[in-house]
Amino acid sequence: MSALSSPNLFSKVEARWPLKVLGAVLAIIGVILIIGGAQLVLLGGSAYYLLAGLALAASGGLIFTGRVLGAWVYIATFILTVLWALFESGLNGWALVPRIVAPLVLLLFVIGLFPALDRFDGRKRRLQGFAGIGIFVVVLGLAVAVTNRSGVLSPVPDAKNTLAFDTAAAAGTEWPTYGGGPSAQRYADLNQINTGNVKDLKVAWTYRTGNQPDKWGAETTPLKIGDTLYGCTGMNEMYALDAATGKKRWSFDPKVPDNAIPYTAACRGVAYYKVPAAMPGTPCAERIFEGTLDGRVIAVDARTGLACSGFGTGGQVRITDGMGKVIPSMVAITAAPTIVHGIVITGHQVQDGQYKWAPSGVIQGYDAITGQLRFAWDMMRPDRTGAPPPGETYTTGTPNMWTTATADEQLGQVYLPMGNSAADYLSGQRRPAEKMYSSGLVALNVDTGKPAWVFHTAINDVWDYDQGSQVSLVNFPVGGQMVPAILLPTKQGDFYILDRRTGKPLTEVGQMKAEVGGVEPQERSPVQPYSKYQNVREKDMTEASMWGMSPIDQMICRIQFRKASYKGMYTAPTLDRPYIQYPGYNGGSDWGSVAVDPRRGVVVANYNLTPNYDQLLTRKQADDRGIYAVGDPRGTHKGGAEGAGPQEGAPFAINVNAGWLMPVTGMLCKQPPYGGIRAFDLTTGKTLWDHAFGDARRNGPFGIPSLLPITIGTPNNGGPAVTAGGLIFIAATTDNQFRAIDIRTGKTLWQVTLPAGGQANPMIYEQNGRQYVVIMAGGHHFMKTPEGDYLIAYALPDRK
């Protein structure tokens, strides 16, 4: 037999190939870590990656040449990695994932190829193999143990009822306003579905709305009046459904053109108005109002769906009258109108990041019967309460209200969560009135059209921390008496309680230090307000809180962190380097708002914990990147992430990485959780329970779903509703799940997979003695959830 045909030699040659592949992989990883680790050290960061890279390069080289020492070098490196990971992040399971999991997988291959390394006798080989396997099992057990360790608070008993319960403020058999009842508490005083039987919920009916455009995100919460549900599609087609069966009764299509779609084609809801009994014979005695993406307020007959011809012109008014020339998609109404004292009040979205002198943010109120303009609040013209005279326009560039207002019929006030001035990330061109009202909660007297008070949650905001949440009206105990109050959630994660008559805080407000720097140091305040009552913020980010799917992308995120400016939540915008905003503009609470259980005195709030990675750009940098505003003939740029854009007319453009995503893997640089849900006592602000919210089944690197039902805490968009049955109903997360949660403990009692993303608020009602829970499963392009057109009602099995 020749040497070439020797079985012993052939098996040795064959065994070398896996070793060479493993050695090459380890060496390549080592070189990458050496290069990145050296850069990180020069930036003042951790030396681990450089040292680990050197060890892996050496280990890979030794294994490539078949030397067993290479395996021992890797095993030693892995053990030191575990010790370093525990030292840096403790027993935080998610923090350990990028530090340990990928090295653990490589360890498995090293142990598996241990017997093929070098030429040892069988006894030594077995001893070394068992030693390596023993190390592997011990470390694996440690990693699994800490990764599965829970970091949530312990559940506590149900809160006591300390508030005077006002049945007029709650939804019951009906859901008459976008926020449930007139107080926008998103509470239904129904208990047919409760913690004991919610597991039996089944689909009662499904309505397919159709009409989903490219930039989908319906976000719809229907109303229930009498025996009918009223809703709207993302393109503003209104519809009426039988509340018991979901069968369509009528629809009305306002024929909104596609070029009117702003950032998202969304219609969050409609409003209902009944003509007073003192006005008999008025056509359209019951009316459904909606605002459209092309800036119209439309009234239709609630019974027939036909336009109310006596309202405005042919059943509609245009909010863009008096704004001058408006580029399509720049002005859009996405929130439900608010009606108080017979006045239909609407704000509107002005597309972010495009023009400093964008169309006005004027707030307008129309007579609910005639459509006549009752007031127009242009903050730069306090002397006027109506439309501008011929040849003039409402003041451009002023803050707008893009979300949903709340009204107090008795006080005659409407509470306006205001957005930011155009060119969100710069304030040097703002006028005094803009600074007074930008990103503030404004109480407007609806009979005069003039502001009564304003409360700020950020001073001279350049972080897009506008007021996104609809406020809730509550009774709050002060000195043994119940005071009419407002619960105000914010994007910063704070919750404030204000006297709704005066705007004065009823709970303690503190001041935190803030950076005075960036491109406009003279504009930055050295302090910013925060709530001492309740907030859902984490501690400031650090290099150690960077994440990824492996040590390599975690290292890249660490490098990005070190390159950026970051001095806490109010880091000033910079031009010379990126800056980190945490929480980002999707942080804390947004348009989904919160829910209040007034019987238990409990507030339920879902929230986001995601950062932004931003940088201002010079005009030349923006031009070189082809970043032009909507309507600019030089390009077709339509804005990237919300808030990013050219800011034409301002000194600088802005580039925003919303969520701080890695460019290749699509993973977030911040470690989980990215979202949570919390319950707290309304009277004291004490947290009752707090859990990460949403699982990883649809999350994964490169956009590939992991399919793992592991709670990771996903970004979420949409809000909760609560019931007298002790349940929280909420979708919102990126995992397409619709959940029922026990309000006492935060435990999920029921969940179902929706056919599309549930980025909408649920609503609850009763019809013919049967309780229903309804959610819009329309998906959302920004949240990267699949699109759909499903309005789904759930109920207990019909016992008839």
Side-chain angles (χ1 to χ4, degrees):
M1 181 179 294
S2 67
L4 290 177
S5 61
S6 169
N8 198 30
L9 178 59
F10 180 78
S11 62
K12 288 180 180 179
V13 172
E14 188 178 55
R16 293 290 184 185
W17 283 108
L19 294 177
K20 290 186 179 296
V21 171
L22 177 61
V25 169
L26 292 175
I28 291 170
I29 294 173
V31 170
I32 294 172
L33 291 177
I34 290 169
I35 295 171
Q39 185 179 6
L40 185 58
V41 168
L42 292 175
L43 291 169
S46 172
Y48 162 77
Y49 298 89
L50 175 59
L51 298 175
L54 292 169
L56 260 66
S59 171
L62 290 167
I63 290 175
F64 188 87
T65 59
R67 299 184 61 185
V68 73
L69 179 60
W72 287 113
V73 170
Y74 185 85
I75 291 170
T77 302
F78 181 79
I79 293 172
L80 292 173
T81 293
V82 171
L83 295 175
W84 164 77
L86 292 172
F87 173 80
E88 187 176 58
S89 57
L91 295 177
N92 183 325
W94 286 115
L96 293 172
V97 168
R99 293 167 169 85
I100 291 179
V101 171
L104 193 61
V105 172
L106 290 174
L107 179 66
L108 180 62
F109 285 101
V110 170
I111 297 299
L113 290 174
F114 214 121
L117 286 165
D118 236 334
R119 301 175 68 181
F120 296 100
D121 61 37
R123 181 170 176 270
K124 287 184 178 180
R125 187 179 299 136
R126 285 191 298 272
L127 288 174
Q128 291 170 341
F130 287 138
I133 292 170
I135 294 171
F136 169 73
V137 170
V138 170
V139 175
L140 178 61
L142 175 63
V144 169
V146 298
T147 299
N148 285 303
R149 186 181 179 88
S150 174
V152 300
L153 299 177
S154 299
V156 299
D158 200 0
K160 295 180 180 179
N161 177 17
T162 58
L163 303 183
F165 179 67
D166 180 6
T167 55
T173 59
E174 301 196 350
W175 191 272
T177 72
Y178 172 75
S183 293
Q185 295 178 353
R186 292 170 183 80
Y187 172 80
D189 199 31
L190 299 173
N191 62 9
Q192 183 183 95
I193 302 170
N194 52 56
T195 56
N197 61 23
V198 68
K199 64 182 183 301
D200 298 324
L201 278 186
K202 304 293 182 183
V203 173
W205 55 258
T206 300
Y207 173 67
R208 301 291 296 272
T209 67
N211 209 340
Q212 278 284 66
D214 289 340
K215 292 189 284 187
W216 67 92
E219 303 176 357
T220 306
T221 301
L223 306 183
K224 193 266 186 179
I225 311 291
D227 62 355
T228 306
L229 261 64
Y230 299 98
C232 53
T233 70
M235 291 300 287
N236 296 121
E237 182 177 334
M238 285 187 276
Y239 53 82
L241 310 177
D242 184 293
T245 66
K247 183 179 179 180
K248 185 167 75 172
R249 289 181 167 164
W250 57 254
S251 63
F252 176 89
D253 187 358
K255 299 190 183 304
V256 173
D258 287 344
N259 68 355
I261 300 173
Y263 172 68
T264 299
C267 177
R268 294 193 191 99
V270 298
Y272 169 82
Y273 179 72
K274 185 174 183 178
V275 175
M279 302 178 67
T282 303
C284 285
E286 295 182 72
R287 304 180 174 199
I288 302 297
F289 289 90
E290 78 162 347
T292 66
L293 298 178
D294 57 355
R296 291 176 282 165
V297 176
I298 298 175
V300 301
D301 191 310
R303 294 167 297 182
T304 65
L306 298 176
C308 295
S309 58
F311 180 83
T313 302
Q316 64 182 20
V317 296
R318 291 186 178 275
I319 68 167
T320 52
D321 291 346
M323 290 188 186
K325 182 181 178 181
V326 176
I327 298 168
S329 82
M330 280 299 297
V331 173
I333 305 173
T334 54
T338 300
I339 303 176
V340 59
H341 284 197
I343 302 173
V344 182
I345 299 164
T346 183
H348 53 275
Q349 173 182 333
V350 177
Q351 193 168 170
D352 279 347
Q354 303 302 307
Y355 296 95
K356 167 56 193 168
W357 306 114
S360 178
V362 58
I363 307 296
Q364 298 172 84
Y366 300 92
D367 189 288
I369 296 176
T370 67
Q372 179 184 357
L373 183 67
R374 294 280 293 273
F375 70 80
W377 178 50
D378 180 348
M379 64 182 63
M380 291 297 297
R381 297 303 303 262
D383 55 315
R384 292 180 184 164
T385 56
E392 295 186 31
T393 66
Y394 296 116
T395 309
T396 59
T398 53
N400 62 300
M401 181 193 71
W402 58 268
T403 192
T404 308
T406 309
D408 186 317
E409 186 79 22
Q410 183 176 356
L411 291 176
Q413 291 185 159
V414 60
Y415 303 101
L416 311 173
M418 296 300 294
N420 216 332
S421 296
D424 299 61
Y425 298 89
L426 296 165
S427 63
Q429 294 171 296
R430 291 179 191 165
R431 297 151 292 192
E434 291 181 74
K435 293 183 178 181
M436 180 180 295
Y437 297 112
S438 181
S439 297
L441 180 67
V442 175
L444 200 71
N445 185 307
V446 299
D447 296 318
T448 65
K450 293 183 178 292
W453 52 260
V454 60
F455 179 81
H456 289 103
T457 58
I459 300 172
N460 212 4
D461 174 24
V462 288
W463 303 274
D464 204 11
Y465 285 151
D466 53 3
Q467 303 295 332
S469 296
Q470 182 186 27
V471 300
S472 298
L473 308 185
V474 297
N475 295 323
F476 194 78
V478 178
Q481 295 183 336
M482 289 297 176
V483 173
I486 282 173
L487 172 64
L488 169 63
T490 73
K491 288 184 176 182
Q492 296 98 308
D494 288 298
F495 295 84
Y496 297 90
I497 301 288
L498 311 175
D499 187 322
R500 64 177 181 262
R501 301 165 297 186
T502 65
K504 300 297 183 184
L506 298 176
T507 54
E508 189 174 0
V509 177
Q511 288 189 328
M512 67 171 68
K513 292 182 179 180
E515 181 195 9
V516 177
V519 296
E520 299 174 319
Q522 73 282 359
E523 290 282 314
R524 305 283 71 78
S525 171
V527 295
Q528 291 284 352
Y530 74 97
S531 173
K532 291 187 175 182
Y533 162 74
Q534 166 71 217
N535 66 69
V536 296
R537 289 192 301 276
E538 292 183 321
K539 295 180 180 179
D540 286 347
M541 298 180 73
T542 65
E543 181 196 320
S545 60
M546 298 299 97
W547 208 63
M549 60 179 290
S550 72
I552 292 176
D553 50 345
Q554 186 187 44
M555 176 185 68
I556 294 172
C557 288
R558 285 178 181 249
I559 292 170
Q560 291 183 358
F561 179 87
R562 286 291 178 177
K563 285 184 174 180
S565 172
Y566 180 60
K567 299 180 181 179
M569 184 164 64
Y570 292 101
T571 300
T574 51
L575 179 67
D576 59 330
R577 57 176 173 155
Y579 67 98
I580 297 168
Q581 180 188 339
Y582 180 64
Y585 60 59
N586 279 321
S589 297
D590 204 357
W591 59 262
S593 311
V594 302
V596 181
D597 183 333
R599 286 195 185 276
R600 296 175 175 85
V602 174
V603 178
V604 177
N606 57 302
Y607 55 91
N608 284 302
L609 296 169
T610 54
N612 284 2
Y613 196 76
D614 305 345
Q615 185 170 5
L616 295 172
L617 305 173
T618 65
R619 297 257 64 93
K620 184 178 185 305
Q621 287 174 323
D623 291 346
D624 289 345
R625 298 186 187 192
I627 300 176
Y628 302 115
V630 170
D632 192 310
R634 293 177 295 173
T636 58
H637 179 71
K638 299 297 183 184
E642 186 178 22
Q647 299 194 135
E648 288 192 11
F652 306 115
I654 181 71
N655 183 55
V656 173
N657 180 347
W660 191 358
L661 304 177
M662 288 284 291
V664 178
T665 65
M667 304 286 283
L668 278 68
C669 272
K670 176 195 173 289
Q671 71 188 31
Y674 306 124
I677 185 167
R678 175 181 292 191
F680 62 89
D681 187 294
L682 177 56
T683 304
T684 65
K686 177 185 176 183
T687 297
L688 305 178
W689 50 260
D690 187 6
H691 299 293
F693 180 45
D695 63 47
R697 69 185 69 201
R698 290 200 70 257
N699 297 85
F702 311 106
I704 302 171
S706 70
L707 306 179
L708 298 173
I710 300 172
T711 299
I712 191 173
T714 70
N716 52 88
N717 212 350
V722 296
T723 73
L727 294 170
I728 304 161
F729 288 99
I730 185 168
T733 51
T734 59
D735 55 15
N736 297 349
Q737 299 297 294
F738 186 33
R739 294 174 169 88
I741 299 171
D742 189 330
I743 197 171
R744 296 169 302 173
T745 64
K747 181 181 178 181
T748 297
L749 302 179
W750 169 86
Q751 70 182 68
V752 64
T753 301
L754 297 171
Q759 279 65 59
N761 285 13
M763 52 89 71
I764 302 152
Y765 65 92
E766 184 180 290
Q767 183 63 32
N768 300 333
R770 192 180 189 193
Q771 183 179 339
Y772 296 83
V773 181
V774 173
I775 187 70
M776 178 71 203
H780 203 288
H781 70 105
F782 178 71
M783 302 298 287
K784 299 180 181 179
T785 57
E787 68 173 297
D789 65 344
Y790 305 86
L791 188 70
I792 307 174
Y794 297 89
L796 296 173
D798 193 345
R799 304 299 183 186
K800 293 181 181 180

